[in-house]
Amino acid sequence: MRKETKMYSLRLPEELKNKLDKVSKKLGKPKSVIIREAVTAFLDDMQDFSTAINALEELKDGDYNKASKKIDKLVKDIHEEASQEDISSDDFDFAVKALEELKDGDYNKASKKINKIVKDYKKK
């Protein structure tokens, strides 16, 4: 069964369009597939990020029970996504450990790990 799709039009800066053209040619994939995959990955990441932010806000507000449940769900979802996409969950372990330490109340360790994650992310 084919999924219902909708047509969208978008404008890209020439530099981004050229990158898309090169990747499409190199991978032998239509540009629409690459864009769809990129948008899907971005939205999935934003959903995970939003859940993590909500959990951190719950922690900040002192609702440790709610925060703990959100963190547990986020960690579970990250591991499930990694296994479904055949990605090593090791890629996520550092962030997961920081979340778990936050949940466990070890804010000093969690803070150090979060600072390292942010520093590493900014290097990319």
Side-chain angles (χ1 to χ4, degrees), residues 7 11-12 22 28 34 38 44 48 53 59 72 76 80-81 93 95-96 98-100 106 111 115 121-123:
M7 177 77 82
R11 295 180 188 271
L12 297 174
K22 287 177 187 176
I34 295 169
D44 289 347
D48 290 344
I53 293 298
L59 276 173
D72 287 343
K76 180 182 173 200
E80 284 177 3
E81 286 174 23
D93 280 349
V96 167
L99 288 170
E100 288 172 343
D106 195 339
S111 178
N115 286 338
Y121 181 74
K122 286 182 178 180
K123 286 181 184 177

Side-chain angles (χ1 to χ4, degrees), residues 15-63:
E15 182 180 323
L16 187 55
K17 182 214 173 283
N18 292 339
K19 285 182 181 181
L20 178 61
D21 292 342
K22 287 177 187 176
V23 169
S24 174
K25 187 174 181 176
K26 185 175 183 177
L27 296 177
K29 282 186 173 183
K31 290 177 257 186
S32 62
V33 170
I34 295 169
I35 292 169
R36 187 171 37 254
E37 290 172 353
V39 169
T40 299
F42 174 81
L43 294 175
D44 289 347
D45 288 347
M46 291 310 298
Q47 185 176 0
D48 290 344
F49 181 72
S50 175
T51 302
I53 293 298
N54 289 337
L56 292 173
E57 287 173 346
E58 300 288 353
L59 276 173
K60 183 181 80 174
D61 294 340
D63 195 339

